[in-house]
Every structure is written in C-alpha cells, then in structure tokens.
C-alpha cells in the first residue's frame, strides 16, 4: 500500500487513505433512451415544452421549469462550437491522456446546453467559436456509453459568431 | 407514464477518492513504529498517555511531542460484534470492533479483535496484538486476539 515508503528504514511520512464508494447506478428511462440511441450513433436531446430550449443529454424533466419532457426527442448533430476551453497541464489519476491536452465546453448544433469533452488540436489553435466535430470509435465498438465519442476535432468551417454561443459561456 | 417504457439500463459505478495523507511529526513516528511491531503513545503534561498519539492536548491545546512506547497487550473496554463483515472491512470473517486500552496507556483505541466467535468476547478481557508476517507501517499491521 504505502509505496511512498518502500525504503524499509525511511520514516513513514505519508499513508494512502483511499475512500471508495461502489454504486449500482440505474440510468432511469430518459438517460437509458439516450444511451440506447448513442449505441446507434445518435445524439438525443429533449426540448422543454415551456421555453423550447433543447437539453443534451436528454433527461426526464426540465431542471428550470420542473415539467416532464415526455417522449419527444430531438436528434442533434455531432458538430458543434467551442464555447470555452481549458488547457490541462496537471496530471490526474484516472485520466490517461498525455499532457498537455485541451478540454472544451462544446455546444452541439441544435442544443442549448454544453457538453464537456476533449479536443484534439494544437494548443495554439484552440479558440472560442471554433467549429468542431465528434470523432467516434469504430462502429463495431459502439455500446450504450458516451465513450463511443473519443474526442472532438476541428473542422474546416468559419468560426461561429460570439452572439451564437454567448449565453452558454 | 410513457407507453414505450423500457427497462432502465444499469451499470456499476465506482466513485473513488485516492487520498494520500501527510502524517506529521507525531503520527509519522507512530506508523513507523508499527512497522517495527511497536506501539507508541504520546505523554501529556499530567503524565497520562494517549494511544494513538495526538499532536495536541485535547484539553489545553498545547503541542505534544513526548512519544512513549506502550505494551501491545491490553484490556477490552467496549466492543461490538460484526457478524457479517462487508467487503471493505478489515477481516473477511466475523470479528469484533473493540476499544482496547493497552497496558501503559490511559486511553482506549478502536481496533479489531479476531476472536473467532462472539462468545469469546467479553468486556474486561485481555487481548494482545498479533502482528502480520510482513509489516508495512499501516494500522492493519496487526489485529488483536484474545490473550
């Protein structure tokens, strides 16, 4: 356990005290539908019947108005716009990406909520408004998991206007 | 509800916090001593010994640093039987959590008594540490067994 203290005669200065919580997670009806759709390569959102905003991923009810979304779903593009980004230079356990890497808040076309993901681009190229598209695993590896999307990559489209995403920053 | 109700998807989900704890000037010697199969307490100004040791006097808040070795045998002052241990508990068979006041200590501390059967447990019973074959400086380097 105490790999920091391997030298048998060194004083023990640090101990590991991990805390682990083991859940059996039930996705519920709405998220299950979302996950079954992503296994087919489809990205489902749901529209709030009160203000028409499209929530992604789909969920059972509107967090703002408390109304149920029912069965109607909206299929979204796997293209979107970088709303904000961060360059990660500090390693984190459980994230096996090579440093530095870019995380993005991406607004998928047709959605009104942002998705947090990773962007494969040169550090100097990433910018707000950049147009990006999801890169998927090979189709035969798709499962009911958001991990079907590996990362996003830039695409050759003009940057989105600031007004088009400013309320999502 | 929806007429298209399908069975919800489920999956295991493990949430883990991989903490490391810096021990400081009092607990570092305590854990280091465990590796050498010795148990240390700390002496308060009035001479009472706390095991496990603390860095500060709980009444006066003054700093404490006088470490003293206590026995690895003592007396059970209170206990609770764990009939069906859970996966992350220290033993995979029934055991007791007990407060054990070691000889030379004035406080009892919580540890495990590997007593085999609840009928072998009694407040006031003597217990002694059974040390692991290979100690690493963890609180799990020993359990108590009836003396």
């Amino acid at each position: 356990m105490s790999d920091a203290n391997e030298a048998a005669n060194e004083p023990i200065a640090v101990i590991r005290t991990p805390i682990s919580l083991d859940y059996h997670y039930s996705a519920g009806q709405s998220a299950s539908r979302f996950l079954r759709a992503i296994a087919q390569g489809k990205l489902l959102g749901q529209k709030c019947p009160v203000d028409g905003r499209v929530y992604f991923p789909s969920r059972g009810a509107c967090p703002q108005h408390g109304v149920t979304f029912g069965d109607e779903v909206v299929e979204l593009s796997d293209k979107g716009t970088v709303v904000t980004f961060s360059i990660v230079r500090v390693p984190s356990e459980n994230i096996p990406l090579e440093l530095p890497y870019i995380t993005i808040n991406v607004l998928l076309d047709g959605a009104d909520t942002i998705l947090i993901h990773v962007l494969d681009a040169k550090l100097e190229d990433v910018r707000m408004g950049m147009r990006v598209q999801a890169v998927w695993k090979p189709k035969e590896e798709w499962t009911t998991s958001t991990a079907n999307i590996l990362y996003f990559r830039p695409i050759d489209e003009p940057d989105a206007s600031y007004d088009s995403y400013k309320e999502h920053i | 509800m929806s007429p298209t109700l399908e069975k919800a998807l489920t999956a295991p989900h493990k949430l883990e916090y991989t903490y490391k704890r810096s021990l400081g000037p009092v607990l570092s010697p305590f854990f280091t001593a465990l590796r050498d199969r010795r148990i240390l307490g700390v002496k308060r100004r009035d001479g009472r010994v706390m095991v496990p040791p603390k860095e500060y006097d709980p009444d006066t808040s003054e700093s404490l640093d006088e470490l003293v070795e206590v026995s690895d045998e003592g007396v059970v002052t209170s206990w609770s039987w764990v009939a069906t241990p859970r996966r992350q508990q220290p033993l995979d068979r029934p055991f007791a959590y007990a407060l054990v006041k070691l000889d030379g200590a004035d406080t009892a501390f919580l540890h495990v008594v590997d007593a085999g059967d609840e009928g072998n447990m009694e407040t006031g019973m003597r217990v002694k540490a059974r040390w692991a074959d290979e100690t690493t400086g963890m609180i799990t380097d020993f359990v108590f067994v009836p003396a």
Side-chain angles (χ1 to χ4, degrees), chain A residues 23-151:
Chain A
Y23 292 102
H24 189 64
Y25 177 74
S26 173
Q29 282 297 310
S30 193
S32 293
R33 179 168 48 199
F34 166 79
L35 292 167
R36 288 188 171 108
I38 208 170
Q40 309 296 319
K42 293 179 181 171
L43 300 173
L44 295 190
Q46 283 193 295
K47 185 178 285 190
C48 173
V50 177
D51 64 6
R53 288 167 65 90
V54 173
Y55 286 83
F56 174 84
S58 58
R59 62 201 77 185
C62 175
Q64 188 173 357
H65 301 100
V67 296
T68 63
F69 284 163
D71 277 341
E72 190 192 342
V73 294
V74 181
E75 190 173 339
L76 300 170
S77 166
D78 69 351
K79 293 182 182 177
T81 299
V82 173
V83 172
T84 59
F85 64 92
S86 181
I87 295 172
V88 180
R89 300 179 186 275
V90 179
S92 177
E93 286 191 48
N94 308 328
I95 300 179
L97 298 173
E98 193 178 321
L99 295 173
Y101 61 91
I102 305 167
T103 63
I104 53 172
N105 282 0
V106 56
L107 185 65
L108 293 180
D109 294 348
D112 289 295
T113 59
I114 57 99
L115 168 70
I116 300 171
H117 223 291
V118 177
L119 178 69
D120 182 25
K122 290 180 182 167
L123 301 188
E124 60 269 30
D125 288 345
V126 62
R127 60 196 179 272
M128 294 166 71
M130 183 183 222
R131 296 285 296 157
V132 296
Q133 183 171 18
V135 175
W136 297 70
K137 284 184 179 174
K139 193 170 185 175
E140 57 274 18
E141 295 177 22
W142 288 353
T143 63
T144 52
S145 167
T146 53
N148 292 351
I149 294 178
L150 293 168
Y151 51 85

Side-chain angles (χ1 to χ4, degrees), chain B residues 44-121:
Chain B
R44 296 166 67 171
R45 183 158 302 176
D46 64 9
R48 288 184 291 171
V49 174
M50 293 188 294
V51 178
K54 298 183 189 303
E55 287 184 37
Y56 298 97
D57 187 295
D59 293 329
T60 67
S61 302
E62 68 184 319
S63 291
L64 300 174
D65 58 10
E66 188 184 347
L67 293 163
V68 293
E69 184 171 349
V70 297
S71 173
D72 68 356
E73 294 190 34
V75 176
V76 169
T77 63
S78 180
W79 57 277
S80 181
W81 190 250
V82 181
T84 51
R86 306 182 74 166
R87 189 169 45 80
Q88 291 179 326
Q89 287 182 322
L91 295 180
D92 59 5
R93 54 189 179 276
F95 66 93
Y97 278 125
L99 287 170
V100 176
K101 193 163 106 171
L102 294 172
D103 298 342
D106 293 286
T107 60
F109 83 109
L110 185 67
H111 212 293
V112 169
V113 180
D114 187 10
D117 186 89
E118 185 176 1
N120 296 329
M121 290 300 301

Side-chain angles (χ1 to χ4, degrees), chain A residues 9-31:
Chain A
N9 296 316
E10 291 291 310
I12 291 170
V14 173
I15 57 172
R16 286 176 174 272
T17 55
I19 295 172
S20 177
L21 302 171
D22 288 328
Y23 292 102
H24 189 64
Y25 177 74
S26 173
Q29 282 297 310
S30 193

